Amino acid sequence: MRGMRTAGPGQWIKRIALTLLLLLAMAGLGVWFFLRGSLAQLDGRRSVPGLTGTASVVRDSQGVPTISGTDRKDVAYATGFTHAQDRYFQMDLLRRVAAGELAELFGARALGVDKEHRLHRFRARAEAALRAMPAADRALLERYVAGVNDGLNNLGTRPFEYALIRVAPRPWSAADSLLVFWAMYFDLQGNLEARELARGWLKEHATPEQLAVLLPDATQWDAPLDAAAVPPPAAPFPDQAPDWWARADTAKTPASARVAALGGDAPGQAELHGMVGSNNWAVAGSRSQGGGAIVADDMHLGIQLPHIWYRAVLMVPDGHGATRRVAGVTLPGVPLVVVGSNGHVAWGFTNSYGDYADLVTLETDPARPGKLRTPAGWESPVAHEETILVKDAAAEKFMVRETSLGPVREAGGRSYALHWVAHAKGAVNLAAGALETATTVDDALAVANRSGLPAQNFVAGDSKGNIGWTIAGPLPRRAQPGFASTFPLAGDSHAAGWNGLLPPEAYPALRNPADGQLSTANSRQLMGADFGKLGDGGFDLGARAHQVRGAVAALGAKTSEQGVYSVALDDRALFMSGWRDRALAALGDTAVAAGAGVPAAAPGAAGAAAPAAPAASAASAGAAGSVGAAGAAGSAGAAGAAPVAGGAIGAQRAAARELLRKSWSGRASVDSVGYRIARSYMWSLYELLYGGASAEMAKLAEKADMAAATSRWPVVVARLLDEQPAGWLPPQYASWKDLQLAAMDRALAALTRDGKPLAAATWGERNTQEIAHPIASAVPALRRWLSAPADQLPGDSHMPRVAGRKFGQSERMVVSPGKEEQGIFNMPGGQSGHPLSPFFLAGHADWVGGKATPFLPGPPQHTLMFAK
């Protein structure tokens, strides 16, 4: 028609573009509203059938709840509701890890972990434990479960993680809460199989005299609680080392890449291998300014988002008209406070690292098909067919054979029964809930001995000033009292195993020591007769415990919460200073001069034999401390290493010596290059001496290596360098100095493998946080929004302030019972697992900076009410 115009091509393009932008904006808003729909409800009132009376959740500005109710079951309901709304996906992962059900969420890539964990049939054990549970505990757990499922169902949309992986969340059950305990068994005692296999390999490849040196029972670093007991003297070095000692050829296997990563300068899963947790200590009222005990606790665990712990205050009716304020941290999935204070008693945990599992060798006979021989005789294992559901694939059938001693597992062509305390009746229960009403240290220790959880060092203090230590969790009753084997058992050696659980009245305990302090840090707790009730399941070598004990003693006759808290931030490098001294002694003028004409090593395989030295360099070596052929070439090639800037080994060594002198603060500080060089030097010696053996052990189990066999290996290597026994010098080195220089050159090559100058290799550059939500790995595009800042942290493994890339102090708590207002607390991450929540990282910066923030929540900001 006249007067109308037809739109030109340009206008249509604009219209299409605007339409697309509008659609994208609408889609973005839709995603935004969907994600916000799974945020927790903070305010309002809900009608809940089944409540006895009323309950409330009052949150402060960081989302920390104070949960109250008419009775304990109402508090449990509100706790479950809150856990589910903030952390349901985390809870789901915990139960699935324990039960071997991850493939249902993540597909075939999780089958390996599922099969490894399904071997234990913990879901079936959880159902059996429920049937045996006291009625009152079962009722409490059922109310918690009701709260969890109501919390999940009353979110506006399903938790965002399930939308990303395209799976619907499954309801919670009472058995799932028990599985959360078993998830912690894997976390805290999952090293025991690999440790026994590694030690078994060593036993078969070393004489008893060599084993006594390689696997010491204690060292000068240990800080036992029964301090009057003195560690035994170190065994003398026999005339010859084992045949595998410092074998470079076997270290060329693929497993050596993991061995190389142990040094901390090749990223990988070995990050956690050299780090164990945790610390706790208590000061008696005789040494506190307020007259009550002061208890400190920082449990060391892998750190991700959301964080494993969930802060809470539970206002618990005691049934007599009064209410106990129980403050601390909970574990989502369980209705109890794990560590904290109830106003009368405060308590904390560290992993005890006792020997709580045996691998028992099983025999077969073609004449007895289907039967296995245990030390007690022939038996027919019970077969259980397990079905593993797999996302986007057919279900897998998995056969588990179980003997009277435990499930059958295969390793190195042999069959073993895994006899683990986690399989025993009573391994998991809710007895620890009685800590809510404990009034004295004696009450608390008695509760600890009855508790069903992975055996922990339990340190407690009360408002009267008493302090005490015992073990919380089941202990095996040894068939041979006082003896615990740390090697696979065979034949009649089962007499040294265990049968049933130790009765609570037989547990070791200490109360009110004369010096007014107690501390544990995963090392050997006892040197006396009671040690045999625990055994050695992978103790830390003791440097951290030694430093904690000394730091607490240095607080003086009277101290406060602030003084006690300072121990948690102690990053002095007392242990590593000896390795710095050894490194400096190796880097003398002769060593620097001898390397001046030698090119830096090209990239090579970890542990590869050193090339022959140039004739001129070899000829120049002749004085004491000179560099021989192997040392001159340096064995500097590390896995993936590149030549160091500077071009000559002499320049590298000179730079390292200067940095060890000047970039050394005496601490694991973020700006220290000297600390990182000393640490890498120590681990390079590990690779050169133990790399071949570790590669062989890893064929038995992924986590089996020399560091799994004994954490005391640095003490053994230090003795070697100090005593220099002739029969233990590896033949490829002309002298002990050559070995040390080869290790140093190797360390320097790794530190500069990207072509960066050595001066840039600070400890902070290595110890940079990588804390993220597990979904960030599945959806890398979201990592930016699902990660904590990449902060550089001071601290390391052999000091109180334990810190790694993804491992460290999972909380720092200091509290005097009855004076909780003066207490101190911080932890990584925040209360919520949702990145759009204001509580996702609330408080994280305080943990990074070590700020002494209050133990109790702040003023109320939000209130959610529940009523019948």
Side-chain angles (χ1 to χ4, degrees), residues 261-354:
L262 293 175
D265 285 295
Q269 65 184 33
E271 157 70 19
L272 307 185
H273 188 47
M275 311 190 84
V276 296
S278 316
N279 306 322
N280 62 13
W281 55 98
V283 172
S286 59
R287 288 183 53 193
S288 76
Q289 294 175 2
I294 304 175
V295 176
D297 185 76
D298 58 88
M299 298 175 284
H300 307 155
L301 294 166
I303 299 174
Q304 61 180 18
L305 299 176
H307 189 45
I308 187 168
W309 306 123
Y310 186 87
R311 291 182 68 183
V313 175
L314 306 186
M315 303 300 292
V316 179
D318 65 1
H320 302 287
T323 299
R324 286 282 183 98
R325 180 178 63 184
V326 187
V329 297
T330 64
L331 177 60
V334 179
L336 308 175
V337 169
V338 177
V339 301
S341 176
N342 69 11
H344 297 268
V345 177
W347 67 95
F349 292 135
T350 69
N351 198 19
S352 60
Y353 281 94

Side-chain angles (χ1 to χ4, degrees), residues 41 43-49 51 55 77 81 85 150-151 153-155 864-868:
Q41 181 179 355
D43 298 283
R45 186 178 183 87
R46 302 197 68 90
S47 177
V48 181
L51 284 184
Y77 173 89
F81 188 96
Q85 292 231 314
D150 281 355
N153 294 332
N154 282 285
L155 290 170
L864 178 62
M865 296 294 301
F866 303 90
K868 291 194 291 184

Side-chain angles (χ1 to χ4, degrees), residues 567-760:
V567 177
L569 302 181
D570 181 4
D571 57 6
R572 290 174 297 154
L574 302 187
F575 175 78
M576 201 55 65
S577 64
W579 288 98
R580 178 219 183 202
D581 293 343
R582 290 184 182 90
L584 281 171
L587 292 171
D589 291 341
T590 306
V592 172
V598 184
S617 176
S620 67
S626 64
V627 183
S635 285
V644 179
I649 286 179
Q652 299 166 25
R653 294 175 181 173
R657 180 172 64 179
E658 187 74 1
L659 290 164
L660 281 164
R661 289 171 175 168
K662 295 186 176 179
S663 185
W664 174 267
S665 62
R667 298 178 177 274
S669 52
V670 296
D671 58 350
S672 177
V673 181
Y675 181 85
R676 191 173 177 189
I677 293 173
R679 185 183 192 273
S680 296
Y681 164 66
M682 181 187 78
W683 278 99
S684 289
L685 283 163
Y686 172 91
E687 295 166 16
L688 294 177
L689 297 174
Y690 298 119
S694 290
E696 293 301 310
M697 296 177 203
K699 295 175 183 177
L700 301 176
E702 182 184 5
K703 297 179 182 178
D705 55 24
M706 193 64 194
T710 176
S711 65
R712 301 183 179 103
W713 67 263
V715 178
V716 176
V717 176
R719 281 190 63 206
L720 278 169
L721 300 183
D722 295 344
E723 298 179 27
Q724 300 187 1
W728 288 69
L729 176 65
Q732 62 267 45
Y733 302 103
S735 69
W736 288 98
K737 181 64 69 66
D738 287 359
L739 168 64
Q740 294 178 75
L741 289 173
M744 177 58 72
D745 294 339
R746 180 189 183 90
L748 300 181
L751 291 173
T752 56
R753 62 180 174 271
D754 295 327
K756 62 190 176 186
L758 186 60

Side-chain angles (χ1 to χ4, degrees), residues 64-79:
V64 180
T66 297
I67 303 174
S68 307
T70 302
D71 66 9
R72 185 63 182 88
K73 293 194 292 293
D74 288 352
V75 173
Y77 173 89
T79 303

